[in-house]
Each structure stands twice: as structure tokens, then as C-alpha cells.
């Protein structure tokens, strides 16, 4: 069996240990004689799996008791609608730092008065916009931010000062990659398929005082208060994805948790950015001060050379380096489960490609 280094933006690489454990437990989970996929979500064996995943999330993210943890479906995109449905009354302030942020803003406009208070759209999202605290309406229902912009390879290194206005964060592509103080947020949500586990699971962390304000026409599965009351089981949850996420979180805990993985993530990102800064062929596309630790975007002078490099790297088992269709070039997504070795191998491949290209 030979595994590749998968640089996909999501669904993305998962820890080998978690996959092996799932394989070992595939036909019969802990003597139950059935796969987790075949279990009733109402069984006590399954409830234990569910509770363990929530417990690990709470522990690894340091989620205080005054926050609810919901394990839902519908992806981050579902939450683009759920956020305004649950919170938007008079107005919401959106930070437009990328395509997903923009999509969330467009969705919110369907439900009420949403406005953009900072945007880098005119700069093709090559950096994150400055958020002037004075631009935030002190009476807004929430301020909305995307902490890491997956497509452009940018991230916020500082959170806006929102005063008493709750900060809502789409953390899909950098949750659990660096320490955050959950108390700085009213709501954090993330699709699981980048840094938590497989697709199909959406994590929502919401401060309890923000529950119970949903508009009356909110579908019940998107109503955070109703989901909280039902233990995220108003209907069948993504049972297997929740189990897999638990295995991945156990791995993260064993590795030392978020602080330790963050140091490793910084090492990985630095290896790539240092090379990009000195390369004569490749260059990074995100503004330096906004560089993401999770998605490193870069390009050569031509789309043909980009394509040639993607092919060259794939032949060495370094796959899915093609950039997002909106921006082209290359993107190396280096989430928690990407080993340092994958990144050193990528830098070696870039060096080799550059040297051979120059020789040609
Ligand atoms: C991937 C991604 C999304 C979309 O997630 P889905 O779960 O596919 O809906 C939204 N926001 C960010 C920041 C992402 O990286």
C-alpha cells in the first residue's frame, strides 16, 4: 500500500492512525458485531461515540460551559443561512475577505439587513481587509468574519475589536490549527472536511445566550436552540463522520493538542514561504502579512508552467496541488494531518523543478 501526500483543500488528508483504527473497527465496533455505520443513533453504544467527539472538541478548543457544541449537517454553507436565521434582527456587519465570506454575506441579505464593513474584494482578496472598530455598528446583531480564507491563502492574525457585539466566525479551514480563545466569539462554525474529519459533519459552537432568537420560519434542523435541546439529534446525525472526527481528535490530543500542532503548522508553513521568497520561478500570491498557515497559494510566471509543475509533483506522490478555479496557480493545503515530511518533499520537488527548468 502506498499513500500519497494529499494537498487537497478539502476533503483533505486525515491522520493515518485514525484511518487504521477505523479499518480495524469496520466490521465490528468493540464487540457489538456491527459497524458504526450500522448502529442506531439512539443506541447507548453510539451515544458514547457522539459524547466522546464532543468532549474532545471541548477539551482541545477549551470550550467553556457557557457554550453549546452542536454536531450538525449542511456544511459551512448551511450555516451561511443558519447564522442570519438564528441571529439577524436589526442588522449584521460582514467582513468580506474571500469568496466564502462573500457567499455568506449574499445569503444573509435574504434574511435581513446585512452590510459589508470591510472588504478586500477589489484587491482580488490577496490580503485580508483592515477592520476599523469604528465601522462596526454597536447595535449590530453580530459581526461576521472568516478567520482563514481557504481559496486565497490568507488569514486574520488579529480579530476585530467588536466591543459587545458577538463575533461570528467561519473557521472551516483553520479550526484546531492554532489556539483561539473561544470567549472572543459568539459563534464558531466549521465544515469538518478540512481540519476535523470527513465531510458530512458541521461543528457549531454557540454561546448559550445567543440561543432561542431564531426567526419563526427557521427550519428546525437549522434552529440552534432546538438542536441544542435535542442533543443535535432532531434527526439522524452524520453518525459515521462524527465517529471518524472523534478518532482524528484523539490523534490530535495524542500529538499534544492545538498548541503543539500549531508549532508544527508554523514550521510547515515557514518551510514553504521561505522557499517561495527566494525562488526565481515560484512566488507566493498572498500578501505577506496575511499569509495563511493552512493554505499556501503560489504560482509560476505562466499557467502552462503551473500545470507542468502540478503534473511533475503528482508523479512524485504529491497530489492535488492545482489552485482553486477562481484564482488558478497552485495551492498547497497543509492542515494538521499533513506531516512535515509532505512539506519538505514538496519543497524538494519545487527546487528540482526549478533547477531542471532553468537548465532547459
Ligand atoms: C470549505 C469552506 C466552506 C464551505 O464548506 P462546506 O462544508 O462545503 O459548505 C466555507 N467556508 C470556508 C472558509 C471553507 O474553507
Amino acid at each position: 500500500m502506498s499513500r500519497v501526500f494529499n494537498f487537497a483543500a478539502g476533503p483533505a488528508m486525515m491522520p493515518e492512525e485514525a484511518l487504521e483504527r477505523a479499518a480495524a473497527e469496520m466490521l465490528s465496533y468493540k464487540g457489538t458485531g456491527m459497524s458504526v455505520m450500522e448502529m442506531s443513533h439512539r443506541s447507548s453504544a453510539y451515544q458514547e461515540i457522539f459524547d466522546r467527539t464532543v468532549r474532545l472538541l471541548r477539551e482541545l478548543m477549551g470550550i467553556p460551559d457557557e457554550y453549546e457544541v452542536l454536531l450538525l449537517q449542511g456544511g459551512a454553507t448551511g450555516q451561511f443561512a443558519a447564522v442570519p436565521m438564528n441571529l439577524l434582527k436589526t442588522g449584521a456587519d460582514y467582513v468580506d475577505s474571500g469568496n466564502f465570506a462573500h457567499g455568506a454575506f449574499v445569503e444573509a441579505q435574504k434574511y435581513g439587513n446585512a452590510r459589508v464593513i470591510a472588504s478586500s474584494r477589489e484587491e482580488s482578496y490577496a490580503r485580508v481587509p483592515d477592520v476599523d472598530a469604528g465601522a462596526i455598528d454597536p447595535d449590530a446583531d453580530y459581526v461576521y468574519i472568516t478567520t482563514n480564507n481557504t481559496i486565497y491563502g490568507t488569514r486574520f492574525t488579529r480579530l476585530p475589536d467588536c466591543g459587545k457585539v458577538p463575533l461570528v466566525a467561519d473557521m472551516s479551514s483553520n479550526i484546531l490549527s492554532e489556539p483561539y480563545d473561544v470567549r472572543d466569539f459568539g459563534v464558531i462554525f466549521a465544515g469538518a472536511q478540512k481540519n476535523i474529519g470527513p465531510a458530512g459533519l458541521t461543528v457549531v459552537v454557540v454561546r448559550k445566550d445567543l440561543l432561542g432568537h431564531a426567526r419563526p420560519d427557521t427550519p428546525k434542523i437549522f434552529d440552534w436552540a432546538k438542536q441544542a435541546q435535542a442533543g443535535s439529534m432532531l434527526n439522524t446525525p452524520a453518525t459515521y463522520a462524527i465517529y471518524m472526527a472523534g478518532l482524528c481528535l484523539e490523534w490530535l490530543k495524542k500529538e499534544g493538542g492545538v498548541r503543539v500542532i500549531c508549532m508544527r503548522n508554523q514550521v510547515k508553513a515557514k518551510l514553504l514561504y521561505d522557499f517561495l521568497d527566494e525562488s526565481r520561478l515560484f512566488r507566493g500570491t498572498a500578501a505577506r502579512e496575511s499569509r495563511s498557515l493552512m493554505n499556501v497559494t503560489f504560482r509560476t510566471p505562466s499557467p502552462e508552467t503551473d500545470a507542468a509543475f502540478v503534473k511533475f509533483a503528482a508523479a512524485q506522490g504529491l497530489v492535488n496541488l492545482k489552485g482553486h478555479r477562481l484564482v488558478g496557480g497552485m495551492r498547497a493545503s497543509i492542515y494538521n494531518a499533513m506531516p512535515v515530511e509532505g512539506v519538505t518533499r514538496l519543497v524538494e520537488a519545487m527546487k528540482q523543478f526549478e533547477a531542471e527548468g532553468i537548465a532547459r
Side-chain angles (χ1 to χ4, degrees):
M1 179 211 61
S2 115
R3 288 198 25 103
V4 293
F5 291 103
N6 180 5
F7 292 90
M13 228 173 148
M14 286 196 267
E16 216 163 278
E17 256 178 68
L19 296 171
E20 274 166 1
R21 174 101 174 266
E25 294 175 342
M26 179 58 74
L27 294 183
S28 174
Y29 175 76
K30 289 191 179 165
T32 56
M34 62 176 90
S35 164
V36 174
M37 272 183 268
E38 301 169 298
M39 279 183 186
S40 162
H41 60 293
R42 307 286 181 198
S43 66
S44 59
Y46 185 73
Q47 189 65 50
E48 253 174 55
I49 292 170
F50 183 98
D51 292 344
R52 186 176 61 213
T53 300
V54 172
R55 206 163 49 238
L56 283 161
L57 267 174
R58 281 197 178 275
E59 185 182 333
L60 289 162
M61 290 178 70
I63 301 171
D65 288 343
E66 63 265 29
Y67 287 76
E68 201 68 58
V69 176
L70 307 175
L71 304 185
L72 307 179
Q73 299 186 58
T77 308
Q79 294 305 309
F80 292 175
V83 166
M85 286 193 288
N86 281 274
L87 296 179
L88 182 51
K89 300 279 179 239
T90 55
D93 289 351
Y94 276 71
V95 178
D96 176 20
S97 57
N99 204 53
F100 289 120
H102 192 77
F105 165 65
V106 169
E107 195 75 342
Q109 283 178 303
K110 293 181 190 168
Y111 302 100
N113 173 27
R115 60 177 194 136
V116 169
I117 54 161
S119 176
S120 50
R121 193 169 175 82
E122 301 284 286
E123 298 168 79
S124 308
Y125 297 124
R127 67 184 74 243
V128 295
D130 286 326
V131 186
D132 177 8
I136 296 171
D137 177 355
D139 295 321
D141 298 307
Y142 59 91
V143 173
Y144 183 100
I145 196 173
T146 310
T147 47
N148 184 78
N149 300 282
T150 324
I151 296 173
Y152 308 90
T154 65
R155 68 160 176 155
F156 285 90
T157 50
R158 236 168 1 100
L159 296 174
D161 177 7
C162 306
K164 287 192 162 36
V165 181
L167 181 60
V168 173
D170 176 357
M171 236 182 238
S172 292
S173 53
N174 76 332
I175 192 167
L176 294 163
S177 72
E178 57 180 301
Y180 278 103
D181 185 348
V182 173
R183 288 198 170 88
D184 289 337
F185 302 88
V187 180
I188 294 169
F189 68 86
Q193 66 274 22
K194 279 134 193 178
N195 220 7
I196 301 175
L201 164 66
T202 314
V203 172
V204 179
V205 178
V206 53
R207 212 172 62 208
K208 287 177 180 167
D209 64 290
L210 298 175
L211 296 172
H213 309 293
R215 36 189 290 148
D217 61 1
T218 302
K220 69 176 182 182
I221 56 157
F222 277 160
D223 185 324
W224 297 332
K226 288 185 180 150
Q227 284 286 16
Q229 216 170 11
S232 301
M233 293 200 199
L234 271 174
N235 68 332
T236 318
T239 52
Y240 199 74
I242 291 167
Y243 157 77
M244 277 307 310
L247 296 185
C248 295
L249 295 172
E250 254 166 41
W251 168 84
L252 178 54
K253 182 177 168 178
K254 230 179 71 195
E255 293 296 298
V258 173
R259 252 164 234 290
V260 171
I261 210 78
C262 178
M263 287 191 280
R264 194 188 301 167
N265 288 336
Q266 278 163 342
V267 167
K268 287 174 345 194
K270 185 169 176 349
L271 280 168
L272 272 167
Y273 288 124
D274 282 353
F275 172 72
L276 290 171
D277 286 344
E278 69 182 33
S279 169
R280 277 174 292 166
L281 181 66
F282 297 96
R283 65 176 179 84
T285 49
R288 213 171 269 256
E289 71 278 8
S290 295
R291 282 174 168 176
S292 168
L293 294 176
M294 296 282 97
N295 312 98
V296 178
T297 49
F298 56 99
R299 58 180 5 135
T300 70
S302 83
E304 293 73 31
T305 312
D306 288 346
F309 175 70
V310 169
K311 208 169 142 195
F312 176 84
Q316 302 187 16
L318 309 168
V319 307
N320 287 324
L321 283 160
K322 193 169 187 292
H324 191 277
R325 66 196 146 74
L326 286 174
V327 295
M330 273 83 66
R331 170 175 55 176
S333 295
I334 49 173
Y335 301 116
N336 288 352
M338 173 61 69
V340 177
E341 191 201 340
V343 177
T344 52
R345 290 265 302 273
L346 174 57
V347 171
E348 280 315 307
M350 288 161 87
K351 281 184 185 162
Q352 196 191 343
F353 184 82
E354 181 171 326
E356 283 175 14
I358 289 159
R360 261 200 304 272

